[in-house]
Amino acid sequence: MPFSLPDLPYAHDALAAHGMSAETLEFHHDKHHKAYVVNGNKAIEGTPWADKSLEEIIKGTYDPNTVAQNGIFNNISQLWNHNQFWEMMSPGVSEMPSELEKALVESFGSVAKFMDEFKAAGAGQFGSGWAWLVKDTDGGLKVTKTENGVNPLCFGQTALLGCDVWEHSYYIDFRNARPDYLSNFLDNLVNWENVASRL
Ligand code: FE
């Protein structure tokens, strides 16, 4: 069964008042995410991965010994990453559930310290990639950054929050100001209830 492109969980212009324009979502979801779906399906066709889940393909094709990765991994992981990314944002103001706040304070000292670390990870990722809040294998929360399509599944971690720092995610709205895009993401776009549901 080929994978399909999920609809955005909100209208294309729903995040515009929160700093992510309809034009960004038209390119990012309708073109970039769609391309990962089309190319991912093409890459797995006729291979033993064709009837596996996204998660199984990602864990099974990730190669820890190379940065380049292979076509199956790159497209399928980016397909999964974007599926999560849209769900992690919301057009409504989202209050942080208390269990998430407590977990962040336990691991980082404060919510503000977590946010500083997350922004630094995203700004410090050289080239394309992602910033993540993960639940690590020991149960603690951790901020990480990954290159290209690599994601927490590759390391046995649970992705609680991810921010796409590929230029296609911010160049229309923020031009080269990636730190401003990251600040706006945390302040105005994150669906904290979705993040908490992943704990
Ligand atoms: Fe992207």
Side-chain angles (χ1 to χ4, degrees):
M1 216 13 211
F3 297 110
S4 53
L5 177 69
D7 289 335
L8 287 174
Y10 29 73
H12 285 78
D13 61 358
L15 304 180
H18 306 277
M20 189 173 281
S21 65
E23 189 184 359
T24 287
L25 285 171
E26 281 157 15
F27 276 90
H28 201 171
H29 173 270
D30 302 1
K31 297 186 189 296
H32 290 282
H33 192 182
K34 186 180 179 186
Y36 297 129
V37 175
V38 170
N39 294 328
N41 282 331
K42 254 187 234 162
I44 60 172
E45 199 183 338
T47 76
W49 298 111
D51 61 350
K52 298 287 192 291
S53 69
L54 292 174
E55 290 81 358
E56 286 171 320
I57 300 171
I58 290 164
K59 289 178 193 169
T61 60
Y62 174 64
D63 180 353
N65 299 311
T66 179
V67 172
Q69 301 300 327
N70 57 79
I72 292 180
F73 175 85
N74 284 331
N75 284 288
I76 295 295
S77 64
Q78 281 288 78
L79 199 178
W80 185 89
N81 290 346
H82 289 83
N83 286 357
Q84 314 309 311
F85 187 50
W86 313 131
E87 301 285 341
M88 289 162 169
M89 295 186 285
S90 160
V93 177
S94 166
E95 290 286 316
M96 186 179 288
S98 58
E99 78 264 28
L100 174 63
E101 189 177 345
K102 198 169 151 257
L104 288 172
V105 170
E106 256 168 41
S107 291
F108 298 95
S110 70
V111 173
K113 277 187 191 154
F114 148 68
M115 289 189 174
D116 286 346
E117 218 179 291
F118 190 90
K119 282 185 264 187
Q125 168 58 33
F126 184 75
S128 297
W130 293 75
W132 302 97
L133 169 67
V134 304
K135 184 155 84 172
D136 211 349
T137 46
D138 63 3
L141 305 195
K142 204 166 107 180
V143 164
T144 67
K145 59 180 195 272
T146 57
E147 73 272 354
N148 302 321
V150 176
N151 66 45
L153 293 175
C154 302
F155 313 107
Q157 301 161 331
T158 304
L160 303 181
L161 177 66
C163 186
D164 188 340
V165 298
W166 287 57
E167 285 185 350
H168 65 224
S169 195
Y170 60 88
Y171 229 83
I172 290 171
D173 299 320
F174 292 89
R175 295 302 171 193
N176 62 327
R178 193 194 283 183
D180 293 347
Y181 157 76
L182 282 155
S183 293
N184 181 69
F185 176 78
L186 290 173
D187 292 343
N188 300 315
L189 285 169
V190 174
N191 181 345
W192 296 108
E193 280 169 23
N194 180 273
V195 177
S197 75
R198 298 162 181 269
L199 271 173

